Amino acid sequence: MTDSEIIDFETDKQSTYMYELRDILYIRAGGKTPKAFVRTYGCQQNVADSEKIKGMLAEMGCELTDEKEEADIILFNTCAVREHAEDRVYGNVGALKALKKKKPSLLIALCGCMMEQEHVAEKIYKSFPYVGLVFGTHVIHKFPELLYNSVVEGKRLVERGTDDGKIYEGLPIKRDGTFKGWLPIMYGCDNFCTYCIVPHVRGRERSRCPENILSDARSMVENGFKDITLLGQNVNSYGKGLDQSISFAELLKKVAGIDGDFWVRFMTSHPKDASKELIDVIAENPKISPHIHLPFQCGSDRILKLMNRRYTVEKYMEIVEYAKKRIPDLSLTSDVIVGFPGETYEDFQKTLELIRRMEFTSLFTFIYSPRVGTPAAKFKDPVTHQEKALWMGELLKLQEEISAKRTASMVGRTMRVLVEEEAKEGILNARTHNGVVVEVPGKTELIGHFADARITEARNFILRGQLEQTK
Ligand code: SAH
Ligand code: SF4
Ligand code: F3S
């Protein structure tokens, strides 16, 4: 299978639907430019998918809006990773009932990871009769066709594709940002961590071919992008299944080799195959951010085994020690799950111990959430949620102290930053190469540009500074 075989077939067919929908949606909107509201839940992978959906909507003549009330199409791209993420979607879909009543022509569509779970798609279909279109992650490339069928036939439609293991290239993309963007390099996941729903809703791992990735990266740089994040659930296993032999480290090096002034970063790395080769590439390429997001999940080997993570605490520490030695400004961030089924307070203490030793810049912390269809959902889970919440409190307090210490150590330095947004009037948020936010006074014209910032003050996680010169 090559990617190009798929491009020609699918995009041609979908282009016809997009073309047909231009008139249909315009007429449905009462002879006005149709407006679409797209909300994205979950990770950057979903954000990148939504950018494709927005690209297709633009080709269909739609304008994006931030106001649900004025939309002709409302689309939620959902996340299934934890119960909380799903509950937010249910709540927000429930709230659309009144809008649909006021505007019967409103088309409500749900897509994304939640929809790839049969029981969820069924629940949505039954509980929310005003939802017109439901489609899963495997059929995003068919969005125009599905929308066409749903509008023309006026029937409710559910399409949860089976994972065909293919990669659909050449879909239009409307990026949310103008200088900071996401670049998917692979899809799916084969790791099957026992708590995780992602492999069940995103299908098997498949890598895009390097030529397509490099061409996207080049075009982003040409269009003024200054910060590019390569995306995948486990970027370290990039390249498996491709005809040519290429590792993630090699791909990263090639992206960093593109002419132009930009930073490249990546997420997420899995510790089981984080290689020294990768660390060396980061250390040797100034365009690659000295930032590694390396989720450890738990500091107890016993629990890591039950999680099917396939590394030990020792292996994790070894790769981090190597990275810290090779990359002086390394910023290390991680994900951690508290209260995995069977985890004891002693196991949890090992997690705290690892956090103390690793000194992460910041942590994404989650209380374990059982997911239907995953092995861990059947494990005995005797610790109450309340108790897990207390453990979490302990963890957060420790990490706060570490983060504060780390940010304080940056005071007095001058660092290159990318100015990202206005925080409040006259104050901008800028980000260092290794991902730490610095508040600086300055004009909004600087947004999207590199500058040098002298760090003058640290308050908990936030750094304050002054811009020295703009480049
Ligand atoms: N592919 C990435 C993670 C994607 S999901 C990786 O392996 O690192 C993002 C994070 O959500 C995970 O790292 C994990 O910490 C958390 N997570 C996933 N499933 C969860 C669950 N059932 N309960 C709580 N947290 C979960
Ligand atoms: Fe989930 Fe594990 Fe895959 Fe990450 S590597 S997406 S945690 S199964
Ligand atoms: Fe959520 Fe799907 Fe990402 S489950 S975390 S949006 S891959």
Side-chain angles (χ1 to χ4, degrees), residues 81-82 189 191 193 195-198 232-234 268-270 293 295 297 309 335-337 364 366-371:
V81 81
R82 282 170 295 275
C189 178
N191 289 316
C193 302
Y195 51 82
C196 186
I197 197 72
V198 172
Q233 292 301 345
N234 174 16
T268 296
S269 300
H270 194 302
H293 182 66
Q297 313 296 2
R309 288 290 288 180
D335 294 349
V336 52
I337 297 178
F364 295 88
F366 310 104
I367 290 184
Y368 169 73
S369 171
R371 306 284 68 211

Side-chain angles (χ1 to χ4, degrees), residues 22-277:
R22 278 185 163 254
D23 285 347
I24 297 173
L25 295 177
Y26 183 82
I27 293 163
R28 269 183 116 246
K32 284 192 298 219
T33 303
K35 295 210 162 124
F37 173 97
V38 178
R39 174 173 288 163
T40 311
Y41 300 82
C43 68
Q44 275 75 28
Q45 203 71 247
N46 251 17
V47 173
D49 280 351
S50 285
E51 289 184 340
K52 287 181 187 153
I53 288 169
K54 289 174 190 174
M56 292 187 259
L57 284 165
E59 297 272 313
M60 298 173 205
C62 293
E63 211 172 68
L64 293 174
T65 173
D66 291 331
E67 304 294 331
K68 282 200 276 308
E69 288 69 22
E70 62 170 28
D72 300 290
I73 300 173
I74 294 183
L75 187 139
F76 288 170
N77 189 6
T78 64
C79 168
V81 81
R82 282 170 295 275
E83 196 180 352
H84 178 67
E86 293 198 341
D87 286 347
R88 277 174 59 214
V89 171
Y90 287 128
N92 290 331
V93 175
L96 296 179
K97 189 176 179 181
L99 273 185
K100 174 75 181 176
K101 207 167 172 195
K102 244 199 273 172
K103 191 188 215 173
S105 66
L106 173 66
L107 201 129
I108 300 172
L110 299 181
C111 64
C113 295
M114 266 173 88
M115 304 308 134
E116 284 296 349
Q117 302 172 97
E118 199 170 350
H119 70 283
V120 174
E122 263 170 28
K123 181 171 169 179
I124 300 260
Y125 196 80
K126 283 197 192 115
S127 319
F128 306 107
Y130 46 90
V131 171
L133 174 60
V134 170
F135 61 102
T137 55
H138 300 308
V139 286
I140 280 187
H141 58 282
K142 280 174 73 181
F143 173 51
E145 181 178 345
L146 296 170
L147 188 64
Y148 178 90
N149 290 341
S150 143
V151 170
V152 168
E153 289 168 22
K155 276 199 282 201
R156 298 181 74 201
L157 219 103
V158 178
E159 178 137 341
R160 295 172 45 253
T162 40
D163 176 17
D164 61 7
K166 290 181 184 166
I167 289 188
Y168 294 90
E169 295 283 355
L171 292 165
I173 296 180
K174 186 165 173 25
R175 295 189 189 279
D176 293 338
T178 51
F179 59 89
K180 211 178 149 167
W182 316 110
L183 179 45
I185 62 164
M186 59 199 295
Y187 303 99
C189 178
D190 282 355
N191 289 316
F192 289 96
C193 302
T194 54
Y195 51 82
C196 186
I197 197 72
V198 172
H200 305 265
V201 294
R202 284 274 171 185
R204 296 294 55 77
E205 200 170 273
R206 52 221 183 267
S207 297
R208 295 181 67 200
C209 67
E211 292 75 25
N212 289 340
I213 298 168
L214 287 168
S215 133
D216 282 357
R218 248 179 246 115
S219 114
M220 287 172 88
V221 173
E222 277 159 19
N223 283 297
F225 278 79
K226 299 281 193 297
D227 188 322
I228 299 172
T229 304
L230 307 182
L231 284 183
Q233 292 301 345
N234 174 16
V235 292
N236 296 334
S237 57
Y238 172 79
K240 279 185 202 152
L242 287 175
D243 291 343
Q244 55 194 299
S245 152
I246 177 166
S247 69
F248 176 61
E250 285 161 347
L251 176 80
L252 186 61
K253 200 167 162 181
K254 280 184 197 245
V255 174
I258 293 172
D259 277 343
D261 195 12
F262 67 96
W263 289 342
V264 56
R265 55 184 89 237
F266 55 91
M267 69 189 300
T268 296
S269 300
H270 194 302
K272 83 173 158 57
D273 39 24
S275 64
K276 290 192 171 157
E277 180 201 6

